[in-house]
C-alpha cells in the first residue's frame, strides 16, 4: 500500500531475520523475534504477525509497524519511525494505510494501540488517525482504540 510519499508492506522471512540480526536494542530484537515466531506459527496469517516495512517511495527505509497477531477482532498495532525521519507525518500516513488494510478484512471491528504516557508524539499520531483513549492501561501505558466505521 502506498501514498505519494511512502509505502508499507509486510516483510518476508529474510527481511525479518536481517532486521533481527541488525537490531542493537535488546527490547526491539526480542519483539522482532516474537513477530517472526508468530509468522512461522501462523503462516496463513503472516501479514498479521509480520514486521511491516515503512519506506519512502524512493526505497529509503524510515521505520516499521506491526499488528500483534489476529487472536481477536480488534488487533493491536505498533509502529516506529527512525529518529532522523520523525516529525514529518510519516507515522500518521503509515498508520492510516495500515488501518485501511486492516479494516478491509472481514470481521475486524476495531484496532487498538498502546503508548508510553510520556510519548506525546505517538499519542498525537493516534488521535490524528481517529484513535481515542479506551480508559485502560496496558504494559506500556494508556490504550487507545479506533473503530471500523464499515462494521457498524
Amino acid at each position: 500500500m502506498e501514498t505519494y510519499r511512502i509505502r508499507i508492506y509486510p516483510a518476508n522471512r529474510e527481511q525479518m531475520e536481517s532486521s533481527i540480526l541488525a537490531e542493537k536494542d535488546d527490547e526491539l530484537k526480542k519483539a522482532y523475534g516474537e513477530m517472526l515466531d508468530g509468522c512461522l506459527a501462523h503462516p496463513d496469517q503472516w501479514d498479521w504477525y509480520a514486521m511491516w516495512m515503512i519506506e519512502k517511495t524512493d526505497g529509503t527505509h524510515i521505520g516499521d509497524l506491526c499488528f500483534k497477531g489476529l487472536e481477536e477482532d480488534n488487533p493491536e498495532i505498533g509502529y516506529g519511525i527512525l529518529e532522523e525521519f520523525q516529525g514529518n507525518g510519516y507515522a500518521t500516513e503509515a498508520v492510516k494505510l495500515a488501518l485501511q488494510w486492516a479494516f478491509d478484512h472481514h470481521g475486524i471491528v476495531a484496532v487498538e494501540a498502546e503508548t508510553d504516557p510520556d510519548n506525546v508524539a505517538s499519542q498525537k499520531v493516534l488521535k490524528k488517525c481517529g484513535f481515542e483513549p479506551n480508559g485502560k492501561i496496558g504494559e506500556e501505558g494508556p490504550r487507545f482504540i479506533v473503530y471500523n466505521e464499515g462494521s457498524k
Side-chain angles (χ1 to χ4, degrees):
M1 300 189 68
E2 65 183 76
T3 67
Y4 72 96
R5 296 189 327 146
I6 65 164
R7 77 174 57 92
I8 65 169
Y9 61 92
N12 61 35
R13 183 177 182 158
E14 198 174 293
Q15 289 169 310
M16 291 180 69
E17 288 173 344
S18 293
S19 294
I20 293 166
L21 287 173
E23 185 55 56
K24 292 175 181 21
D25 181 288
D26 288 339
E27 200 170 307
L28 280 176
K29 187 181 279 280
K30 181 178 182 263
Y32 293 159
E34 289 170 357
M35 286 179 214
L36 180 56
D37 290 344
C39 290
L40 298 174
H42 305 277
D44 55 324
Q45 297 176 343
W46 184 278
D47 297 352
W48 291 103
Y49 291 86
M51 167 196 297
W52 284 56
M53 302 298 189
I54 305 172
E55 297 177 346
K56 291 172 68 173
T57 51
D58 69 4
T60 304
H61 180 80
I62 60 171
D64 56 69
L65 64 85
C66 70
F67 290 96
K68 298 178 181 177
L70 190 60
E71 285 83 29
E72 300 179 23
D73 55 4
N74 55 333
E76 183 178 343
I77 191 172
Y79 53 88
I81 299 294
L82 298 173
E83 193 172 342
E84 61 267 32
F85 299 104
Q86 292 176 2
N88 294 298
Y90 294 127
T92 301
E93 267 181 74
V95 170
K96 284 181 178 179
L97 283 174
L99 289 175
Q100 221 175 30
W101 178 84
F103 290 149
D104 279 347
H105 290 79
H106 177 72
I108 302 300
V109 174
V111 173
E112 295 190 39
E114 193 171 288
T115 185
D116 185 286
D118 298 327
N119 193 340
V120 176
S122 185
Q123 292 175 31
K124 284 181 181 177
V125 167
L126 293 173
K127 287 177 182 165
K128 287 178 188 174
C129 293
F131 284 82
E132 295 181 4
N134 69 2
K136 297 178 184 173
I137 303 294
E139 288 179 28
E140 297 172 33
R143 293 190 61 81
F144 296 79
I145 191 164
V146 61
Y147 289 94
N148 181 356
E149 293 300 317
S151 70
K152 291 184 178 178

